[in-house]
Amino acid sequence: MKNLFSNTIFLAIIACLLWSSAFVGVKIGLQYHTPFQFAGVRFTLSGLMLMLYFNQYSRYRNQLLENWRFIGSVALLQTVIQYMLFYAGLDLLPASISASIIGASPLFISIVSHFSFHDDKMDWIKSISILLGVVGVGIISFGRSELPSGVKISILGVSLLLLNNVISGFSNVLVAKKPAMLSPIVLSSTSLFLGGLGLIAISIPVEGYGIKAVAPEYFVALAWLSFLSAAAFTIWFTLLQRPGVKVSELNTWKFLVPVAGAILSWIIMPDESPDFVSLFGMLVIAMALLVLNYSNRRAAKRVRLQSLKAN
């Protein structure tokens, strides 16, 4: 059981399941709060939760002072810029188009990793896995939300979300190269906290005072989103820095996010139910992950054989 809870694939799935639950929470929260400010409050609270959890304040302070430039770069890139692009693009496009573009982020991350790491190159098996995942996300997205007649696709919206995917690739690569002595909890807590404050500061002149109303469900959604961001980002940052973990292969598990998101919507939302198109898209994503698993096992076997020959 201990090995299971430390297993990279298991932890990656847990992080993706946490992220998949964010869609419902964000949908609830945005009924009461403007986008940038809601995201800012959410991430600021996430950072505070992790700061309290760390509970070694002298060590925390020393790591922060020694690595403040790196932490600031992650906060700016991963939290402020990425989420501004995400919310701005989301506001200009139908949900189905947005979900398809965001769902393709593992492809962009793999391309960035290909040019950033000598041991994380794209091969034909990995390429097939990623392309299958992108197709599966597209099937689920368009199957769950029909494009209204007469709606024009915003080129600016598409460009913002594509840029969001590219920034996501660079931020994942940046975290994977973090200083060895910097704790993932220190990195995730401070980058979330500082990035959240940055989003709040930007939101005030752009959106004004963002609270539209208050209700118990708003606070429940905010609390859950803050917790899941703290937990998921810490898990992900930890996995990105594990020896032997490749950025492109780890991010392929993010194809689970739309699958789990669709299932949660069927369970929670009274007006949503399973349909053939969505189930077919999930099957395609399952095939993508099976191909990735095959690629990983083949690579591990090759490494073992090389090790045996060397000995």
Side-chain angles (χ1 to χ4, degrees):
M1 185 62 71
K2 185 179 179 181
N3 290 337
L4 174 65
F5 287 117
S6 62
N7 181 272
T8 298
I9 292 176
F10 175 78
L11 290 173
I13 291 171
I14 292 298
C16 290
L17 290 176
L18 286 168
W19 273 319
S20 71
S21 69
F23 293 111
V24 176
V26 169
K27 191 172 182 180
I28 293 170
L30 291 181
Q31 296 175 24
Y32 304 98
H33 213 157
T34 52
F36 288 178
Q37 204 162 112
F38 182 56
V41 172
R42 165 192 172 184
F43 292 130
T44 302
L45 290 175
S46 296
L48 283 172
M49 285 181 183
L50 286 172
M51 288 177 189
L52 295 173
Y53 172 78
F54 192 75
N55 200 29
Q56 297 179 23
Y57 299 114
S58 60
R59 184 181 163 208
Y60 190 103
R61 185 184 63 252
N62 292 338
Q63 291 192 27
L64 178 59
L65 292 174
E66 290 170 6
N67 301 282
W68 65 270
R69 282 192 179 89
F70 180 82
I71 291 170
S73 300
V74 174
L76 179 65
L77 200 63
Q78 176 126 23
T79 308
V80 178
I81 296 177
Q82 192 175 328
Y83 276 90
M84 284 184 67
L85 291 169
F86 173 76
Y87 278 111
L90 206 64
D91 192 47
L92 295 171
L93 292 170
S96 58
I97 303 294
S98 302
S100 296
I101 297 171
I102 294 298
S105 65
L107 173 61
F108 290 81
I109 293 170
S110 295
I111 293 170
V112 174
S113 299
H114 176 84
F115 292 102
S116 301
F117 298 104
H118 71 277
D119 61 343
D120 197 4
K121 302 297 183 184
M122 296 278 284
D123 57 30
W124 67 273
I125 297 179
K126 191 185 294 185
S127 300
I128 289 173
S129 170
I130 292 167
L131 289 173
L132 278 173
V134 172
V135 170
V137 169
I139 291 171
I140 292 173
S141 301
F142 286 103
R144 294 181 64 215
S145 177
E146 294 182 0
L147 189 64
S149 59
V151 170
K152 294 182 179 179
I153 303 302
S154 166
I155 300 300
L156 176 60
V158 171
S159 301
L160 290 172
L161 290 185
L162 288 176
L163 185 56
N164 168 81
N165 286 349
V166 174
I167 295 294
S168 176
F170 281 109
S171 62
N172 272 264
V173 168
L174 180 64
V175 171
K177 294 180 176 180
K178 90 162 181 63
M181 300 305 293
L182 177 58
S183 164
I185 296 180
V186 174
L187 175 59
S188 54
S189 63
T190 48
S191 61
L192 286 168
F193 180 76
L194 295 173
L197 289 179
L199 283 169
I200 292 171
I202 292 168
S203 74
I204 292 171
V206 174
E207 299 174 336
Y209 182 66
I211 298 246
K212 305 170 189 174
V214 289
E217 65 174 0
Y218 166 79
F219 293 107
V220 171
L222 180 61
W224 174 248
L225 288 168
S226 301
F227 165 76
L228 78 85
S229 295
F233 276 108
T234 300
I235 292 170
W236 207 255
F237 285 2
T238 301
L239 296 180
L240 282 170
Q241 291 137 32
R242 281 188 171 180
V245 171
K246 296 179 180 179
V247 173
S248 62
E249 292 175 2
L250 180 64
N251 276 274
T252 303
W253 289 99
K254 285 186 177 179
F255 285 130
L256 286 174
V257 174
V259 172
I263 293 171
L264 282 173
S265 295
W266 294 336
I267 295 171
I268 297 172
M269 299 297 182
D271 56 341
E272 293 201 26
S273 58
D275 57 87
F276 173 77
V277 176
S278 296
L279 293 173
F280 179 68
M282 292 179 183
L283 179 62
V284 174
I285 289 176
M287 290 171 58
L289 295 175
L290 287 173
V291 172
L292 175 69
N293 240 358
Y294 169 75
S295 174
N296 291 344
R297 287 200 306 272
R298 197 178 75 150
K301 183 178 180 180
R302 188 166 57 244
V303 169
R304 285 197 301 270
L305 289 174
Q306 289 174 350
S307 178
L308 289 171
K309 288 178 181 178
N311 294 331

